[in-house]
Amino acid sequence: MSQPLVTIICLCYNHECFLREALDSVLAQTYANLEVIIIDDCSTDSSPQIIQEYIAENPQLRYISTGQNQGNTKAFNFGWKKAKGEFIIDFATDDVLLPDRVEKQVNQFQKLGSNYGVVYSDAGYINEKSEHLYLHSSRFKAASDGDVFADVLGRYFICPPTMMMRRAVLEQLEGYDESLTYEDFDLWVRSARNWFYSYLPEVTTQRRIHPKNLSQQFYTSDGRMLRSTIKVCYKATDLIRTEQEKKALVSRLRYEARHAYFTGHFPETEQFLALLHRVTKPGPMYKILRFLNSRQIKLGFVRRLYYKLRY
C-alpha cells in the first residue's frame, strides 16, 4: 500500500527552550513520506535563529515567517493552505512526537473508511524539564469510534496535539475560525458533525505543560478564551439534531457557567447562562447562580478548595 503524504505544520512562538527537542522529534519520524513546514509567528526570542540552523542542515524543511504576530489560528491557516499532504498534523514546537507517531496514525487511517476525518491518541504529559507527569488516558476516557459529536459537546477527552486530520476536513471547514483565541473546541464541534473520529490507544505524543501554555491561561486570562467558547456554543445550538446532543450541550453550558462564575468572569457567566436559558429550563441552581453573578459576589475560594481536595 502506497504511503500518503503527511504534512506536519510546526507552529513556533517563543519556544527557544523546547524547539530543538521538538524539531529533532519531527526529524526522527519512522514514516518517510513527510512534508514539514515550520511557521514562526514572529518570535522575539532566539527561535528564528534555531530554525535557520535546522533549515541549513535539513534543506527538505520549509520555513515560513508570518511577518507579524498573528496568533495560532491564523498562523496555522497560513500553513495548511501551503501544505500538500493528504493528512495534516498541527504540531506546537513545545511538544514532542514519538518516533513512530506518524506511521501508527497513517496505519490507523488506512484501516478506516473515508468518512473518518480524525485519528487521535493517548499522550504523555511532561514538564519543562521533559520529565513525565501523567498519561492523558489516566484522567480522560476516550469516546467510542465513529460519531463523537455529542461527546465533544459534553466533555473534554481529546488531547489536541495527538490529532492527525484528513486534509479534506480542513478544506470543508475552511480551516480554523480566525476570530477565536483558541481552535480546539470549535474544530471538534464543526468537524465531528460531518466526520467520524477514531482513537488510537497508544501514546504517540508528549504534551508539555508550562506556564506559557495557552491552555494554562483558560480561566486566568481576561476572558478571551471563554468568549471563544461562547461563540462555539452558539454555533453548536444550530448543529444539534438529537435529544442526546442537546443534553450534551446543556452539560457543557452548565460546566462553563460554573467555572466562569467561580473565576470571576461575570460578563461571560451571564452569556453562558443566557444561552443555557435559551436551550433549556436552567433549574433552581442556575437561577441562584445567575442571581449571585448579577451581584458579582466572588466565591472563587470554592473552586480552589474543590481542586485542592480533588487533586
Side-chain angles (χ1 to χ4, degrees):
M1 189 178 292
S2 63
Q3 287 191 328
L5 180 65
V6 176
T7 301
I8 303 177
I9 298 175
C10 306
L11 293 180
C12 178
Y13 179 67
N14 289 349
H15 287 160
E16 63 179 1
C17 295
F18 316 118
L19 184 55
R20 294 182 187 279
E21 186 177 7
L23 293 180
D24 285 344
S25 77
V26 172
L27 292 170
Q29 289 301 300
T30 58
Y31 189 83
N33 198 14
L34 280 181
E35 175 187 48
V36 180
I37 302 175
I38 305 171
I39 300 181
D40 180 64
D41 196 17
C42 277
S43 295
T44 57
D45 61 7
S46 64
S47 294
Q49 289 75 28
I50 294 172
I51 294 170
Q52 290 293 354
E53 291 177 21
Y54 274 79
I55 296 295
E57 295 173 3
N58 304 275
Q60 76 273 23
L61 304 179
R62 294 175 61 190
Y63 173 45
I64 299 171
S65 173
T66 57
Q68 61 181 7
N69 186 253
Q70 301 282 343
N72 187 62
T73 55
K74 291 183 179 179
F76 176 79
N77 280 349
F78 191 77
W80 84 262
K81 290 173 183 176
K82 302 283 186 184
K84 299 175 182 176
E86 180 181 346
F87 300 104
I88 293 177
I89 293 173
D90 177 353
F91 175 57
T93 54
D94 52 352
D95 294 328
V96 179
L97 305 180
L98 297 191
D100 54 1
R101 152 77 186 266
V102 176
E103 181 180 357
K104 285 184 175 179
Q105 289 192 309
V106 169
N107 288 342
Q108 181 87 340
F109 259 118
Q110 291 180 327
K111 299 173 187 175
L112 302 168
S114 60
N115 54 346
Y116 277 83
V118 175
V119 168
Y120 65 103
S121 76
D122 199 358
Y125 285 75
I126 57 175
N127 62 18
E128 293 174 277
K129 297 179 180 180
S130 298
E131 297 168 335
H132 177 76
L133 300 174
Y134 58 90
L135 294 179
H136 187 80
S137 58
S138 68
R139 298 190 178 185
F140 305 100
K141 184 179 184 298
S144 299
D145 279 14
D147 181 359
V148 298
F149 182 74
D151 293 278
V152 297
L153 278 183
R155 66 188 180 94
Y156 175 80
F157 62 94
I158 299 170
C159 184
T162 71
M163 295 172 61
M164 177 182 283
M165 298 172 278
R166 201 179 286 277
R167 180 189 180 87
V169 173
L170 292 168
E171 290 175 341
Q172 184 182 79
L173 302 181
E174 297 181 347
Y176 292 164
D177 182 341
E178 295 183 1
S179 71
L180 303 176
T181 303
Y182 76 105
E183 73 288 342
D184 306 331
F185 183 36
D186 180 67
L187 175 74
W188 297 334
V189 169
R190 292 194 294 139
S191 64
R193 178 71 287 171
N194 299 315
W195 297 86
F196 285 173
Y197 278 50
S198 178
Y199 177 63
L200 178 64
E202 297 185 41
V203 175
T204 67
T205 307
Q206 292 177 321
R207 187 181 194 187
R208 195 180 304 275
I209 301 297
H210 59 90
K212 293 184 180 180
N213 279 134
L214 196 60
S215 60
Q216 300 301 301
Q217 304 168 34
F218 204 97
Y219 295 105
T220 59
S221 67
D222 61 0
R224 288 174 298 144
M225 297 186 73
L226 286 170
R227 289 192 289 276
S228 289
T229 303
I230 291 164
K231 286 184 180 180
V232 180
C233 288
Y234 270 98
K235 291 182 186 182
T237 61
D238 295 326
L239 296 174
I240 55 177
R241 297 172 184 167
T242 68
E243 190 62 28
Q244 179 191 9
E245 292 168 359
K246 179 181 175 180
K247 288 180 180 178
L249 178 58
V250 167
S251 177
R252 166 74 65 169
L253 290 170
R254 287 172 175 168
Y255 174 90
E256 297 294 352
R258 293 195 306 271
H259 283 266
Y261 172 71
F262 285 117
T263 53
H265 293 91
F266 302 119
E268 291 76 24
T269 302
E270 172 57 30
Q271 291 180 67
F272 282 121
L273 290 171
L275 184 54
L276 177 63
H277 185 78
R278 174 176 149 182
V279 174
T280 189
K281 292 181 179 180
M285 175 180 171
Y286 292 91
K287 289 180 180 178
I288 294 171
L289 186 64
R290 199 167 194 178
F291 172 80
L292 294 172
N293 188 69
S294 69
R295 300 296 189 275
Q296 296 193 6
I297 298 171
K298 296 182 179 181
L299 295 175
F301 73 91
V302 175
R303 182 176 184 268
R304 291 192 294 273
L305 179 61
Y306 168 77
Y307 276 97
K308 184 176 181 180
L309 293 173
R310 181 172 181 181
Y311 297 115

